[in-house]
Amino acid sequence: MRQKALFIVPYALWIVLFVIAPLALIFYQSFFDLNSHFTLANYQDYLTSATYLKMTLNSVWYAALITVVTLVISYPTAYVLTQLENRQFWLLIVILPTWINLLLKTYAFIGLFSRTGSVNQFLQFMGLGSHQLLFTDASFMFVAAYIEIPFMVLPIFNALIEINPSLLNASKDLGATSWQTFRRIVLPLSMPGVKAGIQAVFIPSLSLFMITRLIGGNRVITLGTAIEEHFLTTQNWGMGSTIGVVLILAMFIVMFITGDSREKGGRH
Amino acid sequence: MKKLWGALLGIIALCCLLALGDYLMNRQSNGTGGRTLTVYNWGDYIDPALIKKFERQTGYHVDYETFDSNESMLTKIRQGGTNYDVVVPSEYTVQRMKKEHLLAPLDHRKLTNFHYIDQRFLNKDFDPGNKYSVPYFWGTLGIIYNDQKVAGQDVQHWSQLWNPQFKNNLLLIDSARDVFAMALITQGDSVNTTNYSKLKQAQHHLQALTPNVKAIIADEMKMYMEQDEAAVGVTYSGDAREMMSVNHHLHYVVPSEGSNIWFDNMVIPKSAKNKQAAYQFINFMLQPENAAKNAEYVGYATPNKAAKKLLPKSVTADQQFYPPESTMKHLQTYKDLPRRVLGEYNDLFLEFKMFRR
């Protein structure tokens, strides 16, 4: 028994040093003002400032949109993938872009979307004229969704692939149409994957900041932009940390909402 | 059990590695002194040939390190454990460093080449009597435009940027101070105002500019202006010069009603290990032929009067980068504002960015 307890030590150490300690530091830092006096003013400012609240709503709204768009694209993709013969190969193709640095991918899109970029050249060739593509909400959503898609496809794919085929056969044998089978069997059984995917996409989307500037031209403002500014420009680390704490709370809320009924969706 | 020890050792080894890395990095910047001079400057902001020349002339070994923002440089020096002998901060950062007692006062008897500097660039508000700093380069904030899309006379003044003809065609630099400077000047206020209602008024004014603003970006502006993505941009003279060397349709204007003028300055931090060498280096950089060579390489405007005479006429007569006296007297430097006020600038700027057209 004592031996077994010892096995926890490395994991506990790891979690304390590299997960809990940084979080605690952010939390600690958020209680200090510009003159390093202990204060609750940062939270008060945050909660009473129309700017920050609006920004939070903005972030949640864009993150939700990105998540929905990603989900709508990823679920059918994952479903089709499971039906394919060489599914591992195709899955690899879907995941491949995550091996490339985020910044490089973003710059590639600047090249595609700019006035003299490939997309506009193609549009002109087709006689559709050139359009303003960069710095629009649409291009921001497009790039953000593109970047997040692999993180949504993977968990959904895993959930779908684990569904016992005999359940599907039984459903058909008992006279269910393929829509009914999908609606009553496949969808409920794949819900854990969908929830995991939402967690993996929604939370990072809340704090996107590089894409908001590079593709959104700072016309899309999220909490990430504010954190960057507080740490780099105003050097108000307290306020930056406060916003960080808000993001962490948002993460817990999302985990709570999406993690709720996991047990019920069991396969056994 | 073996695995357990393996994992534990792994974590301990990782911590040791991190500590070692920290130690090595500190030692690298600490282990100098004697015959070494450590210079901490912006990236690509000196002619490397001059460093070689200085080493040959004096026998010192030069350690040249770079930073990319005043704030990151300040954080590093503030945390201690550094021993830079010469640092090149911008003027508002000189003021901040002075306030935080990070700078060593300069001994003007040792600055034998100080007299080469143009009187106009001395004794500025941020450092009266140049007790702590020696100007290195200077530049301005201004308007860059593409002559294929805009006629020159339409972009001579800040207020013209509000013209509806630039709808969705204007790029702004992502910096609260600079964007507010533009608005404050159009309403006739100081770029250093701490009056909240004036700032609020400027923000209101900026919100009227929103339909014209295509994007608020940083370094990427160079690429966008070079690729004709927008007609007009608000940027710094140094960046403008870089853009113009790539795209010959671009021109730079410093509005005659006023703008920001900034200085990068050589200072000696208190923590310097080799002050002797620091003075020699500053004198070396002030030497007219060296300063001229440096200005030619870097491309910014030099405050060195004697060096300016050595530069080709085509450079020094260029009013884009050496504005006429009538404009010069309207240029304002940024002062280091209290952090509370800076916070206000930035919060209002964030609000402006969130304002939808």
Side-chain angles (χ1 to χ4, degrees):
Chain A
M1 197 57 216
R2 278 195 55 191
Q3 272 239 357
K4 261 193 181 162
L6 270 179
F7 277 95
I8 299 170
V9 173
Y11 302 105
L13 253 182
W14 182 271
I15 287 174
V16 168
L17 280 177
F18 298 114
V19 180
I20 296 179
L23 287 179
L25 277 174
I26 291 181
F27 195 62
Y28 174 78
Q29 190 84 47
S30 72
F31 289 110
F32 288 91
D33 66 6
L34 280 170
N35 309 314
S36 25
H37 293 307
F38 185 85
T39 174
L40 286 173
N42 290 329
Y43 288 93
Q44 197 189 337
D45 285 354
Y46 178 84
L47 291 173
T48 53
S49 149
T51 317
Y52 287 125
L53 292 179
K54 205 174 135 200
M55 202 187 305
T56 313
L57 279 182
N58 237 343
S59 304
V60 172
W61 168 243
Y62 277 107
L65 272 180
I66 292 168
T67 312
V68 169
V69 170
T70 323
L71 182 60
V72 166
I73 296 170
S74 300
Y75 198 95
T77 312
Y79 190 78
V80 170
L81 279 178
T82 56
Q83 308 297 319
L84 292 175
E85 201 125 314
N86 305 318
R87 52 179 90 105
Q88 289 305 333
F89 169 75
W90 291 109
L91 189 64
L92 185 77
I93 298 280
V94 171
I95 295 169
L96 210 62
T98 59
W99 296 2
I100 300 167
N101 182 293
L102 181 67
L103 204 56
L104 285 181
K105 283 187 281 190
T106 313
Y107 268 91
F109 274 105
I110 293 178
L112 287 174
F113 285 164
S114 72
R115 267 207 181 272
T116 47
S118 327
V119 174
N120 266 324
Q121 273 172 5
F122 178 74
L123 286 177
Q124 264 167 340
F125 175 72
M126 299 297 284
L128 296 169
S130 90
H131 294 270
Q132 177 62 40
L133 299 170
L134 274 175
F135 314 132
T136 56
D137 280 5
S139 62
F140 170 71
M141 293 292 303
F142 187 92
V143 175
Y146 162 80
I147 284 166
E148 302 289 1
I149 279 173
F151 302 103
M152 187 67 99
V153 169
L154 204 57
I156 298 180
F157 175 86
N158 284 336
L160 285 172
I161 205 90
E162 278 178 29
I163 294 174
N164 192 338
S166 53
L167 288 176
L168 304 180
N169 292 335
S171 162
K172 275 188 194 132
D173 285 350
L174 294 171
T177 62
S178 44
W179 167 247
Q180 278 171 325
T181 309
F182 176 76
R183 173 79 189 71
R184 305 274 170 168
I185 311 228
V186 178
L187 198 61
L189 287 180
S190 63
M191 274 325 267
V194 172
K195 284 173 177 173
I198 290 176
Q199 286 175 4
V201 170
F202 185 82
I203 294 162
S205 305
L206 266 183
S207 56
L208 284 173
F209 72 92
M210 215 167 40
I211 306 174
T212 57
R213 195 183 82 199
L214 290 173
I215 302 287
N218 265 329
R219 305 312 317 252
V220 178
I221 299 288
T222 61
L223 288 175
T225 318
I227 295 183
E228 189 203 11
E229 194 162 275
H230 279 305
F231 273 90
L232 295 180
T233 318
T234 48
Q235 309 223 302
N236 188 347
W237 292 18
M239 195 67 214
S241 303
T242 305
I243 302 174
V245 170
V246 170
L247 278 178
I248 294 168
L249 280 180
M251 180 183 82
F252 278 119
I253 294 172
V254 173
M255 300 277 262
F256 181 75
I257 295 174
T258 53
D260 193 13
S261 55
R262 181 160 297 182
E263 266 68 42
K264 281 186 263 166
R267 296 172 294 276
H268 306 293
Chain B
M1 211 48 200
K2 233 183 188 169
K3 269 187 189 162
L4 176 65
W5 283 115
L8 257 181
L9 276 177
I11 293 178
I12 294 167
L14 186 67
C15 291
C16 289
L17 262 177
L18 288 172
L20 183 74
D22 184 51
Y23 169 77
L24 280 179
M25 267 159 71
N26 272 329
R27 204 185 56 153
Q28 207 179 12
S29 46
N30 275 333
T32 54
R35 301 303 294 164
T36 307
L37 171 81
T38 315
V39 179
Y40 198 31
N41 195 354
W42 300 80
D44 203 23
Y45 207 33
I46 195 171
D47 184 351
L50 286 174
I51 298 182
K52 289 259 159 57
K53 189 175 165 197
F54 178 76
E55 284 181 330
R56 254 200 326 272
Q57 259 181 25
T58 59
Y60 285 114
H61 169 71
V62 177
D63 253 348
Y64 188 76
E65 288 185 40
T66 60
F67 55 83
D68 56 8
S69 87
N70 279 302
E71 284 74 18
S72 63
M73 177 270 294
L74 188 59
T75 310
K76 203 164 173 191
I77 291 187
R78 202 188 276 145
Q79 277 169 348
T82 57
N83 68 332
Y84 302 116
D85 299 308
V86 178
V87 183
V88 188
S90 305
E91 75 289 325
Y92 67 97
T93 310
V94 171
Q95 213 178 352
R96 166 91 50 94
M97 291 173 90
K98 207 165 70 176
K99 235 183 269 168
E100 297 186 14
H101 306 288
L102 295 170
L103 298 182
L106 295 175
D107 183 351
H108 278 259
R109 278 167 307 176
K110 288 188 190 158
L111 288 176
T112 46
N113 289 336
F114 191 73
H115 60 272
Y116 287 122
I117 296 176
D118 193 332
Q119 284 295 328
R120 286 190 303 174
F121 302 115
L122 295 178
N123 201 14
K124 291 283 181 190
D125 286 340
F126 64 90
D127 184 20
N130 285 74
K131 273 198 204 106
Y132 296 91
S133 66
V134 179
Y136 182 66
F137 278 115
W138 63 274
T140 51
L141 177 75
I143 302 168
I144 186 144
Y145 68 92
N146 190 320
D147 65 13
Q148 286 173 307
K149 303 182 174 186
V150 184
Q153 78 264 16
D154 287 344
V155 283
Q156 294 300 312
H157 302 286
W158 293 120
S159 54
Q160 289 173 316
L161 298 180
W162 271 260
N163 188 333
Q165 82 171 99
F166 302 127
K167 188 167 163 45
N168 201 19
N169 228 338
L170 172 67
L171 297 177
L172 294 181
I173 196 91
D174 187 12
S175 144
R177 286 300 291 272
D178 294 319
V179 172
F180 268 93
M182 175 178 97
L184 286 166
I185 287 168
T186 49
Q187 64 190 41
D189 287 316
S190 154
V191 298
N192 293 308
T193 188
T194 54
N195 181 329
Y196 190 73
S197 64
K198 288 210 167 134
L199 279 179
K200 199 73 198 162
Q201 193 190 336
Q203 187 208 27
H204 196 72
H205 195 40
L206 281 173
Q207 283 171 347
L209 183 65
T210 326
N212 287 1
V213 178
K214 182 180 208 144
I216 303 167
I217 46 181
D219 278 345
E220 310 86 67
M221 190 192 296
K222 291 186 209 165
M223 180 171 70
Y224 289 134
M225 289 306 297
E226 285 160 12
Q227 296 175 354
D228 299 340
E229 183 77 25
V232 190
V234 172
T235 191
Y236 312 116
S237 54
D239 285 358
R241 181 182 280 274
E242 248 176 81
M243 296 178 213
M244 289 159 66
S245 66
V246 177
N247 186 338
H248 297 291
H249 289 291
L250 296 178
H251 305 273
Y252 181 72
V253 180
V254 184
S256 57
E257 70 269 27
S259 181
N260 164 242
I261 180 171
W262 48 261
F263 297 90
D264 286 332
N265 311 276
M266 294 182 275
V267 299
I268 303 181
K270 248 190 190 146
S271 51
K273 290 271 154 62
N274 202 341
K275 290 198 178 137
Q276 183 70 31
Y279 281 108
Q280 281 195 34
F281 182 76
I282 294 175
N283 282 328
F284 175 82
M285 293 312 292
L286 290 178
Q287 200 64 247
E289 66 270 18
N290 296 339
K293 194 165 187 303
N294 203 24
E296 240 169 318
Y297 176 86
V298 176
Y300 285 71
T302 178
N304 195 312
K305 207 174 189 172
K308 199 177 155 190
K309 286 203 188 101
L310 297 178
L311 286 172
K313 198 98 210 119
S314 61
V315 174
T316 54
D318 189 347
Q319 298 208 335
Q320 301 176 94
F321 298 103
Y322 290 94
E325 196 51 44
S326 55
T327 305
M328 285 296 283
K329 65 174 186 246
H330 290 126
L331 300 181
Q332 309 175 43
T333 48
Y334 292 138
K335 283 183 199 147
D336 179 38
L337 300 172
R339 286 213 276 177
R340 181 188 55 80
V341 180
L342 270 187
E344 282 171 7
Y345 270 84
N346 281 282
D347 281 353
L348 288 172
F349 186 54
L350 262 186
E351 259 177 63
F352 159 63
K353 285 200 231 172
M354 276 166 56
F355 188 79
R356 307 302 296 210
R357 40 192 136 183

